[in-house]
Amino acid sequence: MRAIRLHQFGPADNLRYETVDDPRPGPGQLRVKVAAAGVHLIDTVLRAGAYDGAVMKPPELPTIPGREVAGVVESVGAGVATGWLGTRVVTHLGMAPGGYAELAVRDAEAVHVVPEGVGFERAVAMIGTGRTTMGVLEMAALTADDVVAVTGASGGIGTLIVQYAKALGCTVIGAAGGPDKVAAARANGADIAVDYTKALWTDELWRALDGRRITVGLLGGRGGAVAQGVYDLLAEGGRLVVYGGGFDAGSEPSAAELAEHRVSIDSPLGPFMLNRPGGVRSLEEKSLDALARGRLRPATTSFPLAEAAAAHRALEAHRTVGKVVLIP
């Protein structure tokens, strides 16, 4: 099969499009002919060898990156019913990479059937990014009365949060980088869309709020000054959920300051998702159900599998909208 392999940590150009042996499904596993593979920002960090190992360790080299795939079951291992053959499925590969390839193997109990009428690109966008979105929303506990600020509003998670919050009846602020992404956030349903790359973006947002304040800030995408800008406009008793771009080191509000303003900050998301009833699989199920019912509509930016390096460069440069997907 053809696959993307990494032989040395470093820049995106280290990703090589190569021919490798087909993986074989072991007992209890099935093999998927991949139609879409998800690209996550963590993939770029692991590729660079920059991950600190707090959650996952850098992979052994050489490796095939990627942990999200959708496609058709074309082979099964011992103990797996042959009825799976030909089934359209989507799965997160867990801690084992291998998604940037024409074929991938996974335990049969870890896959989901792709809902009727759903394309592979959207399905793969919801298996990882979608489940994280569900975890963020569960942690945020939004109500229709909330004024919600979503940073990275045109990204994979941000796009879905804007849709959910708008449908709930919230006043939704979409903060994104650049005019095209701001336009995408506005078209996606944001009541107020602002460009956080502008020097006075918080002044613009303050005028648009017209005396109101943010009650919930959902911080993804870029952090630092963007996170600080949301915090500065947060109401007394407001809350923040950090799932991506948080405060710069040393600039976080102190415990005393948070207590004075009755502000809560919820993070990290990973342990919350793992320890909640039902774990991450129930979040995957909720995510795919919302997709099937048309309640959430992921945006995607697609690249051919052979151009994985270009996909990584675009993602790192914040030039993509929605979920980045590779197509074998």
Side-chain angles (χ1 to χ4, degrees), residues 139-140 219 240-247 264-272:
M139 185 178 283
L219 305 182
L240 299 174
V241 175
V242 180
Y243 62 92
F247 296 93
S264 67
I265 300 180
D266 290 314
S267 181
L269 184 63
F272 169 82

Side-chain angles (χ1 to χ4, degrees), residues 4 32 41 54 67 70 87 95 133 155 180 201 215 219 231 234 236 239-240 288 299 302 305:
I4 296 295
V32 178
L41 189 60
R67 289 175 168 80
T87 303
M95 301 301 287
T133 300
D180 291 343
W201 72 274
T215 62
L219 305 182
Y231 176 73
L234 200 64
E236 294 282 324
R239 56 198 190 275
L240 299 174
L288 292 170
S302 300
L305 176 63

Side-chain angles (χ1 to χ4, degrees), residues 32 41 50-51 60 66 76 86 88 105 127 151 160 179 188 190 200 206 222 240 246 261 266 274 285 292 296 303 321:
V32 178
L41 189 60
Y51 208 81
E60 294 184 6
V76 297
R88 300 168 71 248
V105 297
I127 197 63
T151 65
L160 299 174
N188 193 40
L200 300 178
W206 177 247
R222 296 190 184 184
L240 299 174
H261 297 288
D266 290 314
L274 290 171
E285 292 169 348
L296 294 178
F303 293 81
V321 172

Side-chain angles (χ1 to χ4, degrees), residues 309-328:
H312 273 222
R313 287 192 293 269
L315 184 58
E316 290 175 301
H318 303 278
R319 296 197 306 267
T320 61
V321 172
K323 178 70 174 180
V324 178
V325 179
L326 300 176
I327 308 298

Side-chain angles (χ1 to χ4, degrees), residues 50 126 146 157 164 171 204 218:
M126 296 300 281
D146 280 315
I157 295 174
Y164 178 94
T171 298
E204 178 185 341
L218 302 177

